[in-house]
Amino acid sequence: MRFGITRLLNFDLLPRIKRINKVKLYRPVAGDPDAYARLALALTRPIRWELIAQQYDQMIKYATAIRTRTASTEAILRRFTRNASHPIYAAMMEVGRAQKTIFVAITWGCATSSGRSRRACT
């Protein structure tokens, strides 16, 4: 969820993920399981883009409320965590999964390409 809400607020997290080699990634689209053969062991199900599209306006509404400080982040999160099956919460989780997959893929690529460190890639 953290990746999702920060993406909606237009900034990126740069976390330190201790077991980054164990992180599961999400496929960008369904079908064609051989599209990312080198990542096959890390890939799971595809991102549910249709869920994000359905709830996009509501997610932007909540992100704007946080940005303008008309609602606190804690109050919004409390509302969603009471009902983990809330469709807006599920959509924010999908945005977070997509953003985390992008972050991990970039981090892996930087750490393994030409022996460069992550700092050299930023």
Side-chain angles (χ1 to χ4, degrees), residues 8 55-67 92:
L8 293 172
Q55 300 301 324
Y56 187 76
D57 291 340
Q58 290 298 315
M59 290 189 302
I60 295 301
K61 178 180 123 182
Y62 284 110
T64 301
I66 292 169
R67 188 178 296 121
M92 283 188 186

Side-chain angles (χ1 to χ4, degrees), residues 9 62-73 76:
L9 292 171
Y62 284 110
T64 301
I66 292 169
R67 188 178 296 121
T68 60
R69 299 181 185 198
T70 56
S72 71
T73 307
I76 291 172

Side-chain angles (χ1 to χ4, degrees), residues 28-96:
V29 293
D32 197 14
D34 299 326
Y36 304 97
R38 295 178 66 192
L39 296 174
L41 295 175
L43 291 173
T44 61
R45 67 168 178 79
I47 297 292
R48 296 180 294 179
W49 299 109
E50 69 285 347
L51 178 62
I52 295 170
Q54 290 168 359
Q55 300 301 324
Y56 187 76
D57 291 340
Q58 290 298 315
M59 290 189 302
I60 295 301
K61 178 180 123 182
Y62 284 110
T64 301
I66 292 169
R67 188 178 296 121
T68 60
R69 299 181 185 198
T70 56
S72 71
T73 307
E74 294 81 18
I76 291 172
L77 290 177
R78 233 178 293 121
R79 174 180 291 176
F80 292 144
T81 54
R82 272 186 266 153
N83 181 6
S85 63
H86 196 288
I88 299 171
Y89 180 76
M92 283 188 186
M93 293 296 290
E94 286 299 307
V95 171

